[in-house]
Every structure is written in C-alpha cells, then in structure tokens.
Amino acid sequence: MPVKWELRGADELIARYGKFELGETLRPPFERGLLRMQGAMAQYPSPRTGSTYVRTGTLGRRWTSAKPVITPLRGRVVNNTKYGPYVQRDPSEGQPSQARVHQGRWQTDVAVMNQHQGPIVTDCERTIEKALDG
C-alpha cells in the first residue's frame, strides 16, 4: 500500500522552480529516509527463550531500497526472500502477510513506516525550507 505525504512548502517550491526541482531537492532526504526504514526492517527480535533454531540472517541482509524516482517522488524498501512477507508484511497489506506465529514479535512494514514517518517528513520539510530560503 503506497503511503502519501503532504509536505509543507512543496507547492511553493513547485510554483517557484517546477516539479523536477522539487524531486531533486527532496532526493537526499528521501534517500536517507529509505535507508532509515531499510535498516529498521533488517532488525531481528530476540530469539524465543529455549529456541534451538539457528538464524541465517538472510531476511535482514535482503532488505534493500531503490533510488527514488523523481516525478512523482517515489521510493521502495523491499525484500526478495520468498518467506519475508510471512515474517514482516502487515496483515492489512493483503496476501501473503505476517503469519500468526510472528505477530507481536517481528515488526511489520507498516509499523516501521509509521515509526519513521515523522522524522522523514521533518527532514524533507527542512530541506524544502532551505531551498526556498536559498
């Protein structure tokens, strides 16, 4: 499910410089935001007490993000493991989604987005303010 944000100052920046300039201005904070979410998704919860399962770390290593697309500004954080959705995809996102055994232990994509949305939007808005002041 795509997430859309409205950024203060974006309309003014577009009116002054155009949509392409907005995209170029927001590329650095947007990339920082994608990396922030990628790193958060790669975090593993503590193993269950008494578990003998040996983790491979593959799920964490396979989180990646693509360079943002300029117009409209879009970015994705993805994982290419077959089982990733069963571990970390929010059930509201459709099928396949997080298995019951992982619920409450493994963070979901939506939870990480909600957790990091505020700092990412703030970073983008500060960048817009600097562009408008400069």
Side-chain angles (χ1 to χ4, degrees):
M1 174 174 148
V3 175
K4 295 183 180 184
W5 296 324
E6 289 196 26
L7 302 172
R8 283 178 288 139
D11 290 338
E12 184 180 347
L13 190 68
I14 291 170
R16 193 179 298 182
Y17 301 111
K19 283 187 178 184
F20 182 78
E21 185 62 31
L22 175 68
E24 284 299 317
T25 299
L26 290 178
R27 184 183 299 271
F30 209 75
E31 286 178 349
R32 288 190 295 270
L34 290 172
L35 290 173
R36 170 186 230 137
M37 290 189 308
Q38 178 183 329
M41 289 301 297
Q43 298 298 311
Y44 280 53
S46 299
R48 290 186 184 270
T49 305
S51 174
T52 59
Y53 177 77
V54 178
R55 294 177 174 179
T56 64
T58 301
L59 181 66
R61 284 191 307 275
R62 294 240 180 128
W63 280 104
T64 186
S65 55
K67 293 281 184 196
V69 176
I70 295 293
T71 306
L73 193 58
R74 295 182 310 216
R76 294 183 62 178
V77 176
V78 297
N79 188 299
N80 66 357
T81 59
K82 289 182 180 183
Y83 55 86
Y86 300 105
V87 180
Q88 292 187 288
R89 182 176 291 151
D90 191 273
S92 67
E93 294 297 295
Q95 296 298 325
S97 63
Q98 190 177 54
R100 186 173 297 149
V101 69
H102 299 303
Q103 292 176 9
R105 290 192 34 76
W106 284 84
Q107 61 192 348
T108 65
D109 49 2
V110 171
V112 168
M113 172 56 78
N114 290 338
Q115 179 184 1
H116 293 280
Q117 179 177 338
I120 293 169
V121 168
T122 298
D123 190 11
C124 289
E125 289 178 342
R126 286 182 182 151
T127 302
I128 290 171
E129 287 174 19
K130 288 178 186 175
L132 289 171
D133 290 343

